[in-house]
Amino acid sequence: MPPAVPEELVEEVLLRFPPDDPARLVRAALVCRGWCRLVSGPAFRRRFREFHRAPPVLGFFFNFGIRSYFVRTASTCPPLRRNWPAIDARHGRVLRFSATSQAGEVPLEKPLVVWDPVTGQRRQLPVAPGSFRPDHWNGAVLCASAAACDHLDCHRGPFLVVLVGTTSREMLACVYSSEAGAWSEPTSAQNQNCSVAPVPSALVGNALHFHCGPQRSVLRYDLGTRRMSVIHLPADCPRHIALMTTEGGGLGFADIVSSTLYLWSWEASRDEAAGWEESRSIELKNSLPARADPTSLRVVGCADSIGVIFVYSDVGILTVDLKSCRVTKVSKRSCKQSWASHILPFMSFYTPELVTNTERVPQVIENSLEA
């Protein structure tokens, strides 16, 4: 009988399993009790997150008009119900309408819900203050620690929900704190000709950035000072862009012209002069799936922490890996008729800490076989 493999060596091997395929860890945990104890232990889960650093994309919400669909990209990610329009997804949480709401309704008229798809926990928020009545609005959910957290395992901790909106005269914002269990009083500033669009926001440092599509501008909300300001996009910027955090930690955006993906970054200097600079371009034409029309491409989302851009095409939804420049088709669904369609990637570690629950194991394996 061959000697047993040292547990330390087993752990080093299992740590290198890809985080975007949690089923492998589940199968490893079923090998024997020792491996099950190792994989489901808090020390391994912590090392696994620290080793991989960036949470994987387990799936994405595809918002199309008043409907929302969830596409799984990881085998053991729990299947999620449709028709619950998602507003934002960040730090392992999803901000969405309640099951009875419809996209486009003013948020203070119906409750919003913050939901953790991995644990199933959900919190229904109180309605926003009555004085928060914008004509156009958007929202974001994020860890309450913001820049002070590594966001590897914070989805069980306190969180914030930020609502921003615009009227013809004002820019408005209010913040919900899970610790206080209440909304703040709205803050306001004079509107500098911007209308917030219902597309994914970007968290850069300690500030949230919201796209104002028609005016080609960005509304910046500082979480520390709670002040709002406007950053103007290039005059020739396309309507369909994705705001993102650049590799250097600044504000950026991605867009597509013809079949070329362009990455832009906001550069500021000590003398307060600032402007947009093109930092990179990637030609996609020769990397597209068969029969894809290069002129149909548009940027609709990004997972900037792992360098992935989501692109719509006439043959389905594609991803572009910024490191390898590889283009991958992740869904057959296209969006020829809706410019407002966008994608919210759901990113979280999904380690089998509950694998010792014998009632849950068959469901996990079944999800793995269906994917």
Side-chain angles (χ1 to χ4, degrees):
M1 185 175 181
V5 179
E7 187 172 283
E8 295 80 5
L9 182 57
V10 172
E11 182 174 7
E12 290 300 321
V13 172
L14 297 181
L15 281 174
R16 288 159 174 79
F17 277 21
D20 57 354
D21 188 8
R24 297 192 184 187
L25 283 177
V26 174
R27 297 189 187 101
L30 297 177
V31 169
C32 62
R33 291 184 177 179
W35 286 25
C36 179
R37 183 175 62 253
L38 171 65
V39 170
S40 60
F44 176 83
R45 300 201 306 273
R46 182 177 61 254
R47 286 199 64 196
F48 187 80
R49 293 190 295 266
E50 292 174 350
F51 182 85
H52 293 282
R53 298 303 301 171
V57 176
L58 298 181
F60 58 86
F61 292 90
F62 167 50
N63 285 345
F64 190 87
I66 64 171
R67 295 185 179 182
S68 183
Y69 303 90
F70 183 76
V71 178
R72 289 192 294 168
T73 58
S75 58
T76 50
C77 180
L80 308 180
R81 291 183 60 183
R82 298 180 179 182
N83 297 330
W84 288 352
I87 302 166
D88 190 38
R90 185 182 286 109
H91 301 158
R93 301 179 180 89
V94 177
L95 175 66
R96 63 172 178 80
F97 288 91
S98 66
T100 59
S101 300
Q102 295 293 328
E105 290 181 330
V106 179
L108 54 87
E109 294 181 352
K110 292 287 185 177
L112 301 176
V113 172
V114 172
W115 173 42
D116 183 342
V118 171
T119 65
Q121 295 179 341
R122 60 191 298 274
R123 176 183 289 199
Q124 183 168 298
L125 310 185
V127 294
S131 53
F132 182 78
R133 292 183 177 274
D135 299 322
H136 307 276
W137 69 278
N138 200 354
V141 60
L142 67 155
C143 168
S145 299
C149 181
D150 60 14
H151 307 303
L152 298 181
D153 188 32
C154 60
H155 58 100
R156 294 180 177 86
F159 63 85
L160 302 175
V161 172
V162 178
L163 294 183
V164 299
T166 52
T167 68
S168 59
R169 297 181 179 181
E170 292 180 305
M171 302 184 296
L172 302 167
C174 62
V175 181
Y176 174 85
S177 167
S178 65
E179 294 178 293
W183 291 97
S184 67
E185 285 299 316
T187 56
S188 65
Q190 183 179 0
N191 192 343
Q192 303 176 38
N193 189 28
C194 62
S195 300
V196 175
V199 295
S201 59
L203 176 63
V204 181
N206 202 39
L208 283 163
H209 298 77
F210 299 86
H211 185 207
C212 302
Q215 294 81 22
R216 291 183 171 84
S217 60
V218 176
L219 192 160
R220 181 181 187 272
Y221 178 79
D222 190 296
L223 292 163
T225 64
R226 299 196 173 184
R227 292 181 178 177
M228 289 168 283
S229 58
V230 175
I231 299 173
H232 294 285
L233 294 165
D236 58 350
C237 175
R239 191 175 187 180
H240 307 286
I241 69 169
L243 297 176
M244 60 187 294
T245 305
T246 64
E247 189 174 348
L251 174 64
F253 73 86
D255 68 358
I256 291 180
V257 178
S258 296
S259 60
T260 303
L261 172 67
Y262 292 95
L263 303 179
W264 295 77
S265 60
W266 175 254
E267 302 294 341
S269 59
R270 294 182 179 179
D271 60 2
E272 297 186 357
W276 291 99
E277 292 186 4
E278 180 188 322
S279 57
R280 187 181 176 189
S281 63
I282 302 173
E283 177 54 54
L284 304 176
K285 186 174 182 179
N286 296 329
S287 303
L288 298 176
R291 297 184 298 278
D293 180 2
T295 64
S296 69
L297 306 181
R298 65 182 63 165
V299 176
V300 289
C302 69
D304 48 23
S305 60
I306 59 173
V308 171
I309 304 294
F310 287 86
V311 175
Y312 279 146
S313 76
D314 60 338
V315 297
I317 301 171
L318 314 175
T319 58
V320 180
D321 189 308
L322 298 181
K323 295 180 181 178
S324 65
C325 298
R326 180 181 178 184
V327 177
T328 305
K329 184 176 178 180
V330 293
S331 174
K332 296 180 181 180
R333 192 178 299 276
S334 62
C335 65
K336 295 180 181 179
Q337 300 176 349
S338 178
W339 69 267
S341 299
H342 56 275
I343 275 177
L344 293 166
F346 174 65
M347 304 175 65
S348 180
F349 285 104
Y350 189 38
T351 49
E353 59 264 33
L354 301 177
V355 75
T356 51
N357 184 337
T358 57
E359 294 180 357
R360 186 172 179 269
V361 170
Q363 179 184 358
V364 172
I365 297 300
E366 181 181 356
N367 288 342
S368 173
L369 295 176
E370 289 179 351

